[in-house]
Amino acid sequence: MLIIIGKNGQLAKKCLELSGPDHSICLGREDIDINSANLFERLDTFKPKAVINASAYTAVDTAESEEAKATALNVNAVEKLNDYCKSRKIQFVHVSTDYVFKGDKGSPYLPNDKYDPVNVYGKTKMLGEQAIQASSYTGSCILRTSWVYSEFGGNFVASMLKLMEEKKELSIISDQIGSPTSVDTLARACLSAIQNRLSGIHHVTDEGVASWFDFAKSIQRLGLQHGLLTKRIPIKPINSADYPTPANRPHYSVLSKDSFKKALPFVELPYWEDALEAVLVILKNKKIQD
């Protein structure tokens, strides 16, 4: 049985969808307390053959004032899950983020590039990674990704579709560059990492790069094309300085996927706009069915 930690998140839902309920189970907060003293015994009841950690504290701005809560999920829980997998000699895949980097390199970040997070969220994700690395367990794999979205809602694509219908115009940040990533791509990478016992740190995103402004423009264009939007509104580019937030963001967080492609060349990493259209088609079909 594959255990997926993070029952209500988009990655957990997609991993379960792809692997099937006969082979995997998602565990949420109502099922398991990752920081409990009897975690190992509780996990043993499911007889896991592998664990994917799709759970995290991801509220980037709120983390600035809730560092203890972010640390509990992004550091302490990660260390315990890794320790469990090491003690049982089973595969562990942990999902991390581009936010462990400062974002000033100017070329795609390599897996072994220097950590330099610019916010509390990135710091806690870094510490979680370091806890895994300190264990020297060869059955652990860290997959860093960026800008994840899906058909399940609660992400940038869902927010943009909603705002584009409600607002007369939008201003979207254009000086933060990364790679939008469909959760389908990430979930397939996680499952392949389990199946092939991938170890070490690797980067997984869809191909290509974009700003949030580029991303929003494509959402509008494809949303109109597939009937998810009823009108076109002006979308204006702005700088990060024009839209201050509690947490800083890296300005350039493109990740090099070379090591992942070499290790698992059969896992498709589609161009980000193609992956976006596939998700919008799913949303279109859901809308028709409703």
Side-chain angles (χ1 to χ4, degrees):
M1 180 66 71
L2 168 64
I3 299 294
I4 305 163
I5 305 294
K7 191 173 187 176
N8 298 315
Q10 55 186 347
L11 176 57
K13 290 177 181 177
K14 182 59 72 169
C15 284
L16 181 63
E17 176 186 304
L18 293 176
S19 58
D22 293 336
H23 304 285
S24 58
I25 183 172
C26 289
L27 300 179
R29 294 178 183 177
E30 63 272 30
D31 304 304
I32 194 168
D33 179 1
I34 298 177
N35 286 304
S36 68
N38 66 342
L39 173 65
F40 285 22
E41 291 78 6
R42 177 65 174 145
L43 286 172
D44 279 343
T45 63
F46 298 98
K47 299 179 180 179
K49 294 182 179 179
V51 175
I52 294 175
N53 183 28
S55 175
Y57 185 108
T58 57
V60 177
D61 288 323
T62 309
E64 295 296 307
S65 58
E66 294 188 348
E67 185 167 356
K69 290 182 179 180
T71 299
L73 273 177
N74 294 347
V75 186
N76 302 341
V78 172
E79 184 173 18
K80 288 184 178 181
L81 287 170
N82 182 75
D83 288 346
Y84 173 79
C85 292
K86 182 178 181 179
S87 69
R88 303 308 191 258
K89 295 182 173 57
I90 61 176
Q91 183 74 6
F92 179 52
V93 169
H94 171 65
V95 178
S96 194
T97 174
D98 55 326
Y99 278 34
V100 300
F101 299 121
K102 186 175 182 178
D104 62 353
K105 184 181 177 184
S107 61
Y109 279 94
L110 302 172
N112 62 350
D113 276 340
K114 177 186 175 183
Y115 288 112
D116 196 4
V118 296
N119 55 44
V120 168
Y121 166 68
K123 174 188 171 184
T124 60
K125 294 296 285 187
M126 172 193 74
L127 293 173
E129 289 190 17
Q130 290 176 331
I132 294 173
Q133 294 173 70
S135 75
S136 300
Y137 177 45
T138 57
S140 293
C141 176
I142 297 169
L143 296 181
R144 293 193 191 118
T145 191
S146 66
W147 299 22
V148 180
Y149 66 92
S150 69
E151 66 272 23
F152 299 117
N155 56 69
F156 186 76
V157 172
S159 296
M160 286 297 103
L161 289 173
K162 183 174 184 292
L163 290 172
M164 287 170 185
E165 282 291 89
E166 294 176 350
K167 303 292 185 180
K168 293 183 178 180
E169 67 175 35
L170 288 175
S171 297
I172 305 295
I173 290 172
S174 62
D175 61 349
Q176 293 175 20
I177 309 297
S179 297
T181 304
S182 167
V183 81
D184 185 78
T185 300
L186 181 58
R188 292 180 189 279
C190 289
L191 295 173
S192 293
I194 290 288
Q195 293 163 2
N196 294 276
R197 294 196 65 83
L198 187 64
S199 63
I201 304 176
H202 303 274
H203 294 162
V204 178
T205 70
D206 285 331
E207 296 284 12
V209 301
S211 67
W212 291 109
F213 171 75
D214 298 327
F215 197 6
K217 291 286 285 186
S218 289
I219 291 167
Q220 182 180 64
R221 178 177 62 81
L222 293 169
L224 287 166
Q225 180 179 319
H226 290 286
L228 293 168
L229 295 171
T230 59
K231 60 186 176 72
R232 183 185 300 276
I233 63 171
I235 302 175
K236 300 178 180 179
I238 60 171
N239 293 325
S240 300
D242 299 322
Y243 187 74
T245 56
N248 293 323
R249 265 75 168 173
H251 282 278
Y252 180 93
S253 59
V254 178
L255 303 174
S256 170
K257 300 173 285 291
D258 290 348
S259 71
F260 181 82
K261 290 178 182 178
K262 184 176 180 180
L264 301 178
F266 46 83
V267 178
E268 181 185 3
L269 302 177
Y271 180 62
W272 72 267
E273 278 194 304
D274 295 334
L276 171 61
E277 183 163 22
V279 167
L280 293 180
V281 168
I282 293 172
L283 290 173
K284 175 185 178 181
N285 291 335
K286 283 185 175 182
K287 185 177 181 181
I288 293 172
Q289 292 171 4
D290 293 341

